[in-house]
Amino acid sequence: MKIKVCGMKDGDNISAVAGLRPDYMGFIFYNKSKRFFTGTLPELGSDIVKTAVFVNEDLNLVLDRVKEYNFKAIQLHGDESTSYCRELKKALSPAVQLIKAFSMHQKFDMARLLDYQVVCDFFLFDTKGKERGGTGQVFDWNILKSYDLKHPFFLSGGIGLEQIERLKEFFETKVSNYCHAVDVNSKFEDLPGLKRIGDLELFINEIKSL
């Protein structure tokens, strides 16, 4: 199981998290976010997939940020259409992964995903909240029992050390065969964008040992 640590912001903290060798590290380019990233990106290592997160952003700006920081994955966390995803995917290098996030709730229609699986490499399932991401709450993973596609996804939304036992149970389910990675963020923070290295290291070691 792969691990994505999102919402990175502080330079020294970024380097410390990179030292734990997560598979993905996410940087948010949404100016309404408390984890909005600006400045210089430290060297991460070639085995970490640098991921840029956008919300309903102009396509040209997305491409500019990819070129500026040499991102290897793009995560779309807004209301981006399939045509937007298709156009972006066409403009990106084939090596750049495209992740489309969806806010999960009891009435979520899985049929919405059908057209997106053709234009995105991965889905990301997050908790539905009033704002874009960052709720710190775990959605009901039982919702995914009705997921009948074989498209790989990231599991996100309020995941922390207290979810390790639930994750172990989830990994025993059929749908977990398509879970590409677990995405973590706010449950490992003292301040927005500042991760607790000790707790994060424990989590990564636990998940990687499953």
mmCIF file of all heavy atoms in Angstrom, residues 154-202:
data_model
loop_
_atom_site.group_PDB
_atom_site.id
_atom_site.type_symbol
_atom_site.label_atom_id
_atom_site.label_comp_id
_atom_site.label_asym_id
_atom_site.label_seq_id
_atom_site.Cartn_x
_atom_site.Cartn_y
_atom_site.Cartn_z
ATOM 1 N N PHE A 154 -7.265 6.621 -4.409
ATOM 2 C CA PHE A 154 -6.652 7.012 -3.145
ATOM 3 C C PHE A 154 -7.762 7.099 -2.103
ATOM 4 O O PHE A 154 -8.824 7.657 -2.386
ATOM 5 C CB PHE A 154 -5.984 8.386 -3.262
ATOM 6 C CG PHE A 154 -4.726 8.428 -4.083
ATOM 7 C CD1 PHE A 154 -4.750 8.155 -5.439
ATOM 8 C CD2 PHE A 154 -3.513 8.773 -3.503
ATOM 9 C CE1 PHE A 154 -3.594 8.212 -6.208
ATOM 10 C CE2 PHE A 154 -2.349 8.839 -4.255
ATOM 11 C CZ PHE A 154 -2.389 8.555 -5.620
ATOM 12 N N LEU A 155 -7.512 6.591 -0.913
ATOM 13 C CA LEU A 155 -8.451 6.714 0.198
ATOM 14 C C LEU A 155 -8.008 7.877 1.069
ATOM 15 O O LEU A 155 -6.890 7.890 1.575
ATOM 16 C CB LEU A 155 -8.485 5.423 1.019
ATOM 17 C CG LEU A 155 -9.490 5.389 2.174
ATOM 18 C CD1 LEU A 155 -10.919 5.426 1.645
ATOM 19 C CD2 LEU A 155 -9.269 4.145 3.034
ATOM 20 N N SER A 156 -8.889 8.864 1.235
ATOM 21 C CA SER A 156 -8.525 10.090 1.942
ATOM 22 C C SER A 156 -9.629 10.483 2.914
ATOM 23 O O SER A 156 -10.674 9.846 2.993
ATOM 24 C CB SER A 156 -8.289 11.211 0.916
ATOM 25 O OG SER A 156 -7.791 12.373 1.532
ATOM 26 N N GLY A 157 -9.375 11.546 3.688
ATOM 27 C CA GLY A 157 -10.385 12.093 4.575
ATOM 28 C C GLY A 157 -10.184 11.759 6.039
ATOM 29 O O GLY A 157 -10.659 10.730 6.517
ATOM 30 N N GLY A 158 -9.461 12.613 6.765
ATOM 31 C CA GLY A 158 -9.349 12.498 8.216
ATOM 32 C C GLY A 158 -8.657 11.258 8.724
ATOM 33 O O GLY A 158 -8.912 10.815 9.858
ATOM 34 N N ILE A 159 -7.783 10.670 7.947
ATOM 35 C CA ILE A 159 -7.108 9.433 8.355
ATOM 36 C C ILE A 159 -5.902 9.745 9.230
ATOM 37 O O ILE A 159 -5.068 10.579 8.881
ATOM 38 C CB ILE A 159 -6.684 8.619 7.117
ATOM 39 C CG1 ILE A 159 -7.918 8.193 6.313
ATOM 40 C CG2 ILE A 159 -5.864 7.391 7.524
ATOM 41 C CD1 ILE A 159 -7.594 7.517 4.999
ATOM 42 N N GLY A 160 -5.838 9.084 10.385
ATOM 43 C CA GLY A 160 -4.734 9.279 11.319
ATOM 44 C C GLY A 160 -4.365 7.975 11.995
ATOM 45 O O GLY A 160 -4.814 6.891 11.595
ATOM 46 N N LEU A 161 -3.565 8.055 13.055
ATOM 47 C CA LEU A 161 -3.134 6.849 13.766
ATOM 48 C C LEU A 161 -4.316 6.058 14.309
ATOM 49 O O LEU A 161 -4.274 4.822 14.363
ATOM 50 C CB LEU A 161 -2.202 7.241 14.929
ATOM 51 C CG LEU A 161 -0.784 7.674 14.556
ATOM 52 C CD1 LEU A 161 -0.058 8.220 15.778
ATOM 53 C CD2 LEU A 161 0.001 6.512 13.951
ATOM 54 N N GLU A 162 -5.387 6.758 14.685
ATOM 55 C CA GLU A 162 -6.543 6.083 15.267
ATOM 56 C C GLU A 162 -7.320 5.247 14.248
ATOM 57 O O GLU A 162 -8.204 4.467 14.617
ATOM 58 C CB GLU A 162 -7.485 7.093 15.934
ATOM 59 C CG GLU A 162 -8.018 8.166 15.017
ATOM 60 C CD GLU A 162 -7.154 9.413 14.937
ATOM 61 O OE1 GLU A 162 -5.920 9.301 15.074
ATOM 62 O OE2 GLU A 162 -7.725 10.501 14.752
ATOM 63 N N GLN A 163 -6.996 5.392 12.974
ATOM 64 C CA GLN A 163 -7.672 4.610 11.940
ATOM 65 C C GLN A 163 -6.893 3.354 11.521
ATOM 66 O O GLN A 163 -7.334 2.631 10.620
ATOM 67 C CB GLN A 163 -7.915 5.462 10.684
ATOM 68 C CG GLN A 163 -9.208 6.246 10.687
ATOM 69 C CD GLN A 163 -9.154 7.402 11.651
ATOM 70 O OE1 GLN A 163 -8.216 8.192 11.594
ATOM 71 N NE2 GLN A 163 -10.139 7.496 12.523
ATOM 72 N N ILE A 164 -5.770 3.079 12.141
ATOM 73 C CA ILE A 164 -4.948 1.942 11.709
ATOM 74 C C ILE A 164 -5.723 0.633 11.769
ATOM 75 O O ILE A 164 -5.688 -0.168 10.823
ATOM 76 C CB ILE A 164 -3.646 1.859 12.531
ATOM 77 C CG1 ILE A 164 -2.689 2.984 12.110
ATOM 78 C CG2 ILE A 164 -2.963 0.497 12.330
ATOM 79 C CD1 ILE A 164 -1.395 3.035 12.885
ATOM 80 N N GLU A 165 -6.442 0.384 12.858
ATOM 81 C CA GLU A 165 -7.192 -0.868 12.967
ATOM 82 C C GLU A 165 -8.309 -0.934 11.930
ATOM 83 O O GLU A 165 -8.566 -1.990 11.341
ATOM 84 C CB GLU A 165 -7.758 -1.036 14.380
ATOM 85 C CG GLU A 165 -6.706 -1.267 15.447
ATOM 86 C CD GLU A 165 -5.835 -2.487 15.141
ATOM 87 O OE1 GLU A 165 -6.410 -3.528 14.742
ATOM 88 O OE2 GLU A 165 -4.605 -2.400 15.299
ATOM 89 N N ARG A 166 -8.971 0.202 11.689
ATOM 90 C CA ARG A 166 -10.020 0.242 10.669
ATOM 91 C C ARG A 166 -9.425 0.009 9.279
ATOM 92 O O ARG A 166 -10.049 -0.634 8.436
ATOM 93 C CB ARG A 166 -10.742 1.586 10.704
ATOM 94 C CG ARG A 166 -11.686 1.762 11.875
ATOM 95 C CD ARG A 166 -12.451 3.075 11.767
ATOM 96 N NE ARG A 166 -13.272 3.116 10.572
ATOM 97 C CZ ARG A 166 -13.923 4.214 10.160
ATOM 98 N NH1 ARG A 166 -13.822 5.341 10.856
ATOM 99 N NH2 ARG A 166 -14.653 4.185 9.059
ATOM 100 N N LEU A 167 -8.224 0.539 9.059
ATOM 101 C CA LEU A 167 -7.565 0.322 7.773
ATOM 102 C C LEU A 167 -7.230 -1.151 7.578
ATOM 103 O O LEU A 167 -7.384 -1.692 6.481
ATOM 104 C CB LEU A 167 -6.295 1.171 7.677
ATOM 105 C CG LEU A 167 -6.508 2.667 7.392
ATOM 106 C CD1 LEU A 167 -5.223 3.443 7.607
ATOM 107 C CD2 LEU A 167 -7.015 2.872 5.961
ATOM 108 N N LYS A 168 -6.796 -1.808 8.642
ATOM 109 C CA LYS A 168 -6.497 -3.237 8.555
ATOM 110 C C LYS A 168 -7.747 -4.007 8.132
ATOM 111 O O LYS A 168 -7.681 -4.911 7.299
ATOM 112 C CB LYS A 168 -5.979 -3.756 9.895
ATOM 113 C CG LYS A 168 -4.591 -3.264 10.262
ATOM 114 C CD LYS A 168 -4.157 -3.813 11.616
ATOM 115 C CE LYS A 168 -2.769 -3.309 11.989
ATOM 116 N NZ LYS A 168 -2.344 -3.804 13.325
ATOM 117 N N GLU A 169 -8.896 -3.643 8.692
ATOM 118 C CA GLU A 169 -10.157 -4.291 8.334
ATOM 119 C C GLU A 169 -10.537 -3.949 6.894
ATOM 120 O O GLU A 169 -10.999 -4.822 6.143
ATOM 121 C CB GLU A 169 -11.267 -3.844 9.292
ATOM 122 C CG GLU A 169 -11.060 -4.293 10.720
ATOM 123 C CD GLU A 169 -12.117 -3.755 11.649
ATOM 124 O OE1 GLU A 169 -13.067 -3.070 11.163
ATOM 125 O OE2 GLU A 169 -12.026 -3.989 12.866
ATOM 126 N N PHE A 170 -10.326 -2.684 6.511
ATOM 127 C CA PHE A 170 -10.662 -2.256 5.161
ATOM 128 C C PHE A 170 -9.834 -3.014 4.129
ATOM 129 O O PHE A 170 -10.342 -3.396 3.065
ATOM 130 C CB PHE A 170 -10.429 -0.754 5.015
ATOM 131 C CG PHE A 170 -10.684 -0.230 3.626
ATOM 132 C CD1 PHE A 170 -11.974 -0.058 3.152
ATOM 133 C CD2 PHE A 170 -9.623 0.094 2.784
ATOM 134 C CE1 PHE A 170 -12.207 0.414 1.860
ATOM 135 C CE2 PHE A 170 -9.839 0.569 1.501
ATOM 136 C CZ PHE A 170 -11.146 0.733 1.042
ATOM 137 N N PHE A 171 -8.563 -3.252 4.436
ATOM 138 C CA PHE A 171 -7.681 -3.936 3.497
ATOM 139 C C PHE A 171 -8.057 -5.402 3.297
ATOM 140 O O PHE A 171 -7.529 -6.067 2.397
ATOM 141 C CB PHE A 171 -6.227 -3.833 3.954
ATOM 142 C CG PHE A 171 -5.668 -2.433 3.936
ATOM 143 C CD1 PHE A 171 -4.624 -2.071 4.774
ATOM 144 C CD2 PHE A 171 -6.190 -1.474 3.081
ATOM 145 C CE1 PHE A 171 -4.103 -0.778 4.752
ATOM 146 C CE2 PHE A 171 -5.684 -0.190 3.055
ATOM 147 C CZ PHE A 171 -4.641 0.160 3.890
ATOM 148 N N GLU A 172 -8.977 -5.893 4.118
ATOM 149 C CA GLU A 172 -9.468 -7.260 3.952
ATOM 150 C C GLU A 172 -10.684 -7.308 3.022
ATOM 151 O O GLU A 172 -11.144 -8.401 2.656
ATOM 152 C CB GLU A 172 -9.842 -7.853 5.314
ATOM 153 C CG GLU A 172 -8.679 -8.038 6.272
ATOM 154 C CD GLU A 172 -7.659 -9.051 5.758
ATOM 155 O OE1 GLU A 172 -8.088 -10.045 5.136
ATOM 156 O OE2 GLU A 172 -6.455 -8.837 5.955
ATOM 157 N N THR A 173 -11.213 -6.153 2.645
ATOM 158 C CA THR A 173 -12.401 -6.107 1.806
ATOM 159 C C THR A 173 -12.027 -6.197 0.329
ATOM 160 O O THR A 173 -10.898 -5.897 -0.063
ATOM 161 C CB THR A 173 -13.206 -4.816 2.041
ATOM 162 O OG1 THR A 173 -12.422 -3.689 1.617
ATOM 163 C CG2 THR A 173 -13.561 -4.668 3.517
ATOM 164 N N LYS A 174 -12.999 -6.564 -0.472
ATOM 165 C CA LYS A 174 -12.781 -6.734 -1.911
ATOM 166 C C LYS A 174 -12.397 -5.423 -2.581
ATOM 167 O O LYS A 174 -11.502 -5.377 -3.435
ATOM 168 C CB LYS A 174 -14.029 -7.319 -2.556
ATOM 169 C CG LYS A 174 -13.899 -7.599 -4.038
ATOM 170 C CD LYS A 174 -15.176 -8.221 -4.589
ATOM 171 C CE LYS A 174 -15.055 -8.467 -6.087
ATOM 172 N NZ LYS A 174 -16.303 -9.078 -6.639
ATOM 173 N N VAL A 175 -13.075 -4.332 -2.193
ATOM 174 C CA VAL A 175 -12.838 -3.043 -2.854
ATOM 175 C C VAL A 175 -11.429 -2.532 -2.606
ATOM 176 O O VAL A 175 -10.879 -1.760 -3.410
ATOM 177 C CB VAL A 175 -13.890 -2.001 -2.409
ATOM 178 C CG1 VAL A 175 -13.648 -1.561 -0.966
ATOM 179 C CG2 VAL A 175 -13.894 -0.801 -3.342
ATOM 180 N N SER A 176 -10.801 -2.967 -1.528
ATOM 181 C CA SER A 176 -9.449 -2.498 -1.221
ATOM 182 C C SER A 176 -8.429 -2.961 -2.254
ATOM 183 O O SER A 176 -7.317 -2.427 -2.318
ATOM 184 C CB SER A 176 -9.018 -2.949 0.176
ATOM 185 O OG SER A 176 -8.748 -4.340 0.210
ATOM 186 N N ASN A 177 -8.798 -3.941 -3.068
ATOM 187 C CA ASN A 177 -7.898 -4.384 -4.140
ATOM 188 C C ASN A 177 -7.594 -3.260 -5.118
ATOM 189 O O ASN A 177 -6.591 -3.303 -5.834
ATOM 190 C CB ASN A 177 -8.515 -5.567 -4.897
ATOM 191 C CG ASN A 177 -8.589 -6.832 -4.072
ATOM 192 O OD1 ASN A 177 -7.760 -7.062 -3.207
ATOM 193 N ND2 ASN A 177 -9.593 -7.652 -4.332
ATOM 194 N N TYR A 178 -8.472 -2.254 -5.142
ATOM 195 C CA TYR A 178 -8.295 -1.131 -6.069
ATOM 196 C C TYR A 178 -7.826 0.130 -5.350
ATOM 197 O O TYR A 178 -7.751 1.190 -5.951
ATOM 198 C CB TYR A 178 -9.612 -0.878 -6.813
ATOM 199 C CG TYR A 178 -10.135 -2.138 -7.452
ATOM 200 C CD1 TYR A 178 -11.255 -2.784 -6.950
ATOM 201 C CD2 TYR A 178 -9.460 -2.721 -8.528
ATOM 202 C CE1 TYR A 178 -11.708 -3.966 -7.514
ATOM 203 C CE2 TYR A 178 -9.902 -3.910 -9.091
ATOM 204 C CZ TYR A 178 -11.030 -4.528 -8.581
ATOM 205 O OH TYR A 178 -11.460 -5.708 -9.134
ATOM 206 N N CYS A 179 -7.509 -0.005 -4.065
ATOM 207 C CA CYS A 179 -6.983 1.127 -3.302
ATOM 208 C C CYS A 179 -5.484 1.239 -3.565
ATOM 209 O O CYS A 179 -4.701 0.412 -3.110
ATOM 210 C CB CYS A 179 -7.257 0.946 -1.811
ATOM 211 S SG CYS A 179 -6.742 2.360 -0.796
ATOM 212 N N HIS A 180 -5.115 2.260 -4.302
ATOM 213 C CA HIS A 180 -3.718 2.447 -4.690
ATOM 214 C C HIS A 180 -2.890 3.043 -3.561
ATOM 215 O O HIS A 180 -1.708 2.716 -3.407
ATOM 216 C CB HIS A 180 -3.671 3.368 -5.916
ATOM 217 C CG HIS A 180 -2.294 3.750 -6.363
ATOM 218 N ND1 HIS A 180 -1.425 2.872 -6.964
ATOM 219 C CD2 HIS A 180 -1.629 4.945 -6.286
ATOM 220 C CE1 HIS A 180 -0.297 3.484 -7.247
ATOM 221 N NE2 HIS A 180 -0.378 4.739 -6.848
ATOM 222 N N ALA A 181 -3.508 3.944 -2.778
ATOM 223 C CA ALA A 181 -2.750 4.651 -1.742
ATOM 224 C C ALA A 181 -3.690 5.193 -0.671
ATOM 225 O O ALA A 181 -4.882 5.416 -0.906
ATOM 226 C CB ALA A 181 -1.951 5.801 -2.362
ATOM 227 N N VAL A 182 -3.114 5.418 0.502
ATOM 228 C CA VAL A 182 -3.812 6.104 1.598
ATOM 229 C C VAL A 182 -3.253 7.511 1.682
ATOM 230 O O VAL A 182 -2.029 7.710 1.707
ATOM 231 C CB VAL A 182 -3.604 5.354 2.928
ATOM 232 C CG1 VAL A 182 -4.197 6.151 4.088
ATOM 233 C CG2 VAL A 182 -4.222 3.966 2.862
ATOM 234 N N ASP A 183 -4.145 8.489 1.725
ATOM 235 C CA ASP A 183 -3.769 9.903 1.731
ATOM 236 C C ASP A 183 -3.991 10.490 3.126
ATOM 237 O O ASP A 183 -5.087 10.360 3.688
ATOM 238 C CB ASP A 183 -4.637 10.640 0.700
ATOM 239 C CG ASP A 183 -4.337 12.121 0.638
ATOM 240 O OD1 ASP A 183 -4.933 12.878 1.431
ATOM 241 O OD2 ASP A 183 -3.521 12.528 -0.195
ATOM 242 N N VAL A 184 -2.962 11.115 3.702
ATOM 243 C CA VAL A 184 -3.081 11.693 5.042
ATOM 244 C C VAL A 184 -2.680 13.163 5.023
ATOM 245 O O VAL A 184 -1.912 13.603 4.174
ATOM 246 C CB VAL A 184 -2.226 10.926 6.080
ATOM 247 C CG1 VAL A 184 -2.673 9.476 6.173
ATOM 248 C CG2 VAL A 184 -0.751 11.012 5.744
ATOM 249 N N ASN A 185 -3.217 13.900 6.011
ATOM 250 C CA ASN A 185 -2.927 15.331 6.067
ATOM 251 C C ASN A 185 -3.114 15.860 7.477
ATOM 252 O O ASN A 185 -2.235 15.744 8.312
ATOM 253 C CB ASN A 185 -3.830 16.072 5.053
ATOM 254 C CG ASN A 185 -3.444 17.523 4.859
ATOM 255 O OD1 ASN A 185 -2.660 18.088 5.612
ATOM 256 N ND2 ASN A 185 -3.991 18.156 3.846
ATOM 257 N N SER A 186 -4.282 16.416 7.763
ATOM 258 C CA SER A 186 -4.476 17.231 8.971
ATOM 259 C C SER A 186 -4.351 16.469 10.279
ATOM 260 O O SER A 186 -4.005 17.066 11.307
ATOM 261 C CB SER A 186 -5.840 17.925 8.919
ATOM 262 O OG SER A 186 -6.886 16.973 8.886
ATOM 263 N N LYS A 187 -4.621 15.160 10.285
ATOM 264 C CA LYS A 187 -4.548 14.394 11.531
ATOM 265 C C LYS A 187 -3.117 14.225 12.036
ATOM 266 O O LYS A 187 -2.893 13.723 13.140
ATOM 267 C CB LYS A 187 -5.212 13.037 11.355
ATOM 268 C CG LYS A 187 -6.744 13.088 11.363
ATOM 269 C CD LYS A 187 -7.248 13.630 12.699
ATOM 270 C CE LYS A 187 -8.758 13.622 12.790
ATOM 271 N NZ LYS A 187 -9.331 12.270 12.908
ATOM 272 N N PHE A 188 -2.141 14.672 11.238
ATOM 273 C CA PHE A 188 -0.740 14.584 11.638
ATOM 274 C C PHE A 188 -0.127 15.969 11.817
ATOM 275 O O PHE A 188 1.085 16.129 11.753
ATOM 276 C CB PHE A 188 0.056 13.783 10.601
ATOM 277 C CG PHE A 188 -0.308 12.326 10.590
ATOM 278 C CD1 PHE A 188 -1.301 11.856 9.744
ATOM 279 C CD2 PHE A 188 0.308 11.431 11.457
ATOM 280 C CE1 PHE A 188 -1.650 10.518 9.744
ATOM 281 C CE2 PHE A 188 -0.037 10.095 11.467
ATOM 282 C CZ PHE A 188 -1.028 9.632 10.616
ATOM 283 N N GLU A 189 -0.980 16.958 12.060
ATOM 284 C CA GLU A 189 -0.504 18.343 12.163
ATOM 285 C C GLU A 189 -0.721 18.952 13.536
ATOM 286 O O GLU A 189 -1.719 18.677 14.203
ATOM 287 C CB GLU A 189 -1.217 19.219 11.126
ATOM 288 C CG GLU A 189 -0.878 18.902 9.696
ATOM 289 C CD GLU A 189 -1.580 19.819 8.712
ATOM 290 O OE1 GLU A 189 -2.613 20.426 9.093
ATOM 291 O OE2 GLU A 189 -1.097 19.956 7.585
ATOM 292 N N ASP A 190 0.217 19.812 13.939
ATOM 293 C CA ASP A 190 0.027 20.702 15.077
ATOM 294 C C ASP A 190 -0.477 22.056 14.588
ATOM 295 O O ASP A 190 -1.271 22.711 15.244
ATOM 296 C CB ASP A 190 1.343 20.881 15.848
ATOM 297 C CG ASP A 190 1.762 19.597 16.544
ATOM 298 O OD1 ASP A 190 0.891 18.933 17.137
ATOM 299 O OD2 ASP A 190 2.951 19.255 16.480
ATOM 300 N N LEU A 191 0.011 22.453 13.410
ATOM 301 C CA LEU A 191 -0.426 23.658 12.727
ATOM 302 C C LEU A 191 -0.612 23.312 11.262
ATOM 303 O O LEU A 191 0.019 22.375 10.765
ATOM 304 C CB LEU A 191 0.622 24.781 12.876
ATOM 305 C CG LEU A 191 0.869 25.329 14.281
ATOM 306 C CD1 LEU A 191 2.083 26.252 14.269
ATOM 307 C CD2 LEU A 191 -0.358 26.071 14.799
ATOM 308 N N PRO A 192 -1.472 24.040 10.524
ATOM 309 C CA PRO A 192 -1.677 23.725 9.115
ATOM 310 C C PRO A 192 -0.370 23.687 8.331
ATOM 311 O O PRO A 192 0.401 24.641 8.329
ATOM 312 C CB PRO A 192 -2.574 24.879 8.633
ATOM 313 C CG PRO A 192 -3.340 25.278 9.843
ATOM 314 C CD PRO A 192 -2.351 25.154 10.974
ATOM 315 N N GLY A 193 -0.104 22.545 7.704
ATOM 316 C CA GLY A 193 1.098 22.387 6.901
ATOM 317 C C GLY A 193 2.319 21.922 7.670
ATOM 318 O O GLY A 193 3.371 21.687 7.078
ATOM 319 N N LEU A 194 2.214 21.774 8.992
ATOM 320 C CA LEU A 194 3.352 21.372 9.816
ATOM 321 C C LEU A 194 3.078 19.987 10.401
ATOM 322 O O LEU A 194 2.303 19.833 11.348
ATOM 323 C CB LEU A 194 3.583 22.387 10.940
ATOM 324 C CG LEU A 194 4.894 22.252 11.722
ATOM 325 C CD1 LEU A 194 6.097 22.508 10.819
ATOM 326 C CD2 LEU A 194 4.905 23.214 12.904
ATOM 327 N N LYS A 195 3.721 18.966 9.836
ATOM 328 C CA LYS A 195 3.445 17.580 10.200
ATOM 329 C C LYS A 195 4.279 17.128 11.402
ATOM 330 O O LYS A 195 5.433 17.528 11.571
ATOM 331 C CB LYS A 195 3.732 16.661 9.010
ATOM 332 C CG LYS A 195 2.963 17.012 7.732
ATOM 333 C CD LYS A 195 1.460 16.898 7.905
ATOM 334 C CE LYS A 195 0.709 17.009 6.585
ATOM 335 N NZ LYS A 195 0.613 18.394 6.079
ATOM 336 N N ARG A 196 3.667 16.259 12.241
ATOM 337 C CA ARG A 196 4.379 15.634 13.359
ATOM 338 C C ARG A 196 5.139 14.422 12.820
ATOM 339 O O ARG A 196 4.538 13.410 12.453
ATOM 340 C CB ARG A 196 3.402 15.209 14.451
ATOM 341 C CG ARG A 196 2.667 16.371 15.119
ATOM 342 C CD ARG A 196 1.888 15.893 16.345
ATOM 343 N NE ARG A 196 0.925 14.852 15.988
ATOM 344 C CZ ARG A 196 -0.306 15.099 15.546
ATOM 345 N NH1 ARG A 196 -0.726 16.342 15.386
ATOM 346 N NH2 ARG A 196 -1.116 14.105 15.256
ATOM 347 N N ILE A 197 6.439 14.533 12.778
ATOM 348 C CA ILE A 197 7.272 13.528 12.124
ATOM 349 C C ILE A 197 7.197 12.173 12.822
ATOM 350 O O ILE A 197 7.091 11.123 12.166
ATOM 351 C CB ILE A 197 8.738 14.004 12.043
ATOM 352 C CG1 ILE A 197 8.818 15.339 11.282
ATOM 353 C CG2 ILE A 197 9.605 12.950 11.358
ATOM 354 C CD1 ILE A 197 8.226 15.297 9.889
ATOM 355 N N GLY A 198 7.221 12.167 14.149
ATOM 356 C CA GLY A 198 7.187 10.901 14.880
ATOM 357 C C GLY A 198 5.914 10.114 14.619
ATOM 358 O O GLY A 198 5.958 8.905 14.349
ATOM 359 N N ASP A 199 4.761 10.784 14.692
ATOM 360 C CA ASP A 199 3.486 10.110 14.443
ATOM 361 C C ASP A 199 3.386 9.643 12.997
ATOM 362 O O ASP A 199 2.879 8.555 12.722
ATOM 363 C CB ASP A 199 2.320 11.062 14.748
ATOM 364 C CG ASP A 199 2.119 11.282 16.240
ATOM 365 O OD1 ASP A 199 2.759 10.560 17.034
ATOM 366 O OD2 ASP A 199 1.332 12.163 16.607
ATOM 367 N N LEU A 200 3.861 10.472 12.085
ATOM 368 C CA LEU A 200 3.806 10.122 10.666
ATOM 369 C C LEU A 200 4.687 8.913 10.374
ATOM 370 O O LEU A 200 4.306 8.008 9.616
ATOM 371 C CB LEU A 200 4.239 11.320 9.833
ATOM 372 C CG LEU A 200 3.926 11.289 8.334
ATOM 373 C CD1 LEU A 200 2.445 11.047 8.082
ATOM 374 C CD2 LEU A 200 4.364 12.593 7.694
ATOM 375 N N GLU A 201 5.864 8.867 10.992
ATOM 376 C CA GLU A 201 6.764 7.724 10.801
ATOM 377 C C GLU A 201 6.123 6.441 11.318
ATOM 378 O O GLU A 201 6.198 5.385 10.663
ATOM 379 C CB GLU A 201 8.084 7.974 11.523
ATOM 380 C CG GLU A 201 9.097 6.857 11.342
ATOM 381 C CD GLU A 201 10.432 7.152 11.997
ATOM 382 O OE1 GLU A 201 10.469 7.992 12.919
ATOM 383 O OE2 GLU A 201 11.441 6.554 11.576
ATOM 384 N N LEU A 202 5.467 6.529 12.471
ATOM 385 C CA LEU A 202 4.783 5.359 13.032
ATOM 386 C C LEU A 202 3.683 4.873 12.095
ATOM 387 O O LEU A 202 3.556 3.674 11.844
ATOM 388 C CB LEU A 202 4.204 5.710 14.403
ATOM 389 C CG LEU A 202 3.402 4.616 15.114
ATOM 390 C CD1 LEU A 202 4.264 3.377 15.347
ATOM 391 C CD2 LEU A 202 2.854 5.143 16.437
#
